[in-house]
Amino acid sequence: MPEPLKLQGIPASAGYAEGPLFNLDPVVARYKGKATAADERLALETAIGTATGRLANLIQATDGDAADILEFQLAMLEDDALTGPAFAAIAAGQPADAAWRQALDAEIVGYETSDQDYFRARAADMRDIRDQVLRALTADSAAAAPTGAIFYGEDIAPTRFLETDWSAGGGIALKAGSTASHVAMLARSRGVPMIVGLGASPADLAGVALLDAEHGGIVLRPTRAEVEAFR
C-alpha cells in the first residue's frame, strides 16, 4: 500500500469532510474544425448559446450572491465587446476553439493583472465563461463526481460549485485558489469545507481523502487508523 500523503494549505471555509477524491483538472477534448469560416462562426454562436442557456437555468435555481455571479457571466457572454474579437479571428481564418480561447485569455490576463480587487476576483468567472463555451464546442461534458466527493485540482469554476449537490457532504481542496474568491465566499455561505493553496502534488491521486478545513490540511490515501481517528 502506498504511504499516506499529507498536504497543508490555507482554510477558506471551515469544516471537515471525508470522501472519494475527484480530480477537477480537465481532460482537454479535441475540437473538430469546420469546412468554412461561416461554419466556424455558426459553431461558436451555437456554443455560446448553449453556455448562455445553462447560465439562465442556473440563475432560475439560485439567488443572492450566487445569482449575481451568474448574471455577470451571462452579461459578459451577451456582450459583443467580449465575443467580437473571437468572431473577427474566425473571419481571418482561425478555427472557433482557438479564436475563442485567444480572445478570452487576453481578457483574463487583463482581469488578473488589475489593481482593483473587484476585477481580480472576476478572473475566475472569465475562466469559467471560457471553459463553458469550449466544452460546448467540443461536446465535452464535465465528468460527474461521486456523492460526497472531495473536489481536488487547480481551481473550481463557480458554475461547477453551484451545480453540485452539497447536501450529502463533500468538500474542496485546491492547489491554487484564494480565500477571497467567489467560490470561497459561496462555500462559506453554504457550509462547504474548503482549503486553498496546496501547491503542486503528485499526479494521478485517487482514493479516500480526509479534509480538515479547520486547520487547512488534507490526508490522501489515509490508513485505517487515520480514518477512524478523523471520524
Side-chain angles (χ1 to χ4, degrees), residues 91-179:
Q94 283 201 34
D97 65 328
W100 180 253
R101 185 181 291 279
Q102 176 181 291
L104 269 290
D105 284 350
E107 288 287 330
I108 290 165
V109 169
Y111 278 79
E112 289 175 334
T113 57
S114 172
D115 57 2
Q116 297 183 41
D117 290 341
Y118 172 84
F119 289 107
R120 287 198 301 274
R122 291 296 189 186
D125 295 309
M126 299 302 291
R127 288 191 292 271
D128 195 357
I129 292 169
R130 177 196 63 195
D131 294 344
Q132 287 183 66
V133 173
L134 287 174
R135 279 200 301 273
L137 273 171
T138 57
D140 176 43
S141 58
T147 301
I150 308 296
F151 288 79
Y152 176 77
E154 195 71 21
D155 206 350
I156 183 170
T159 51
R160 186 69 191 253
F161 179 93
L162 292 169
E163 287 177 330
T164 299
D165 179 7
W166 298 104
S167 62
I172 302 167
L174 301 180
K175 301 174 192 174
S178 166
T179 58

Side-chain angles (χ1 to χ4, degrees), residues 214-229:
E214 299 286 337
H215 305 94
I218 186 170
V219 181
L220 310 173
R221 304 189 298 257
T223 64
R224 181 172 297 178
E226 284 174 318
V227 171
E228 291 174 355

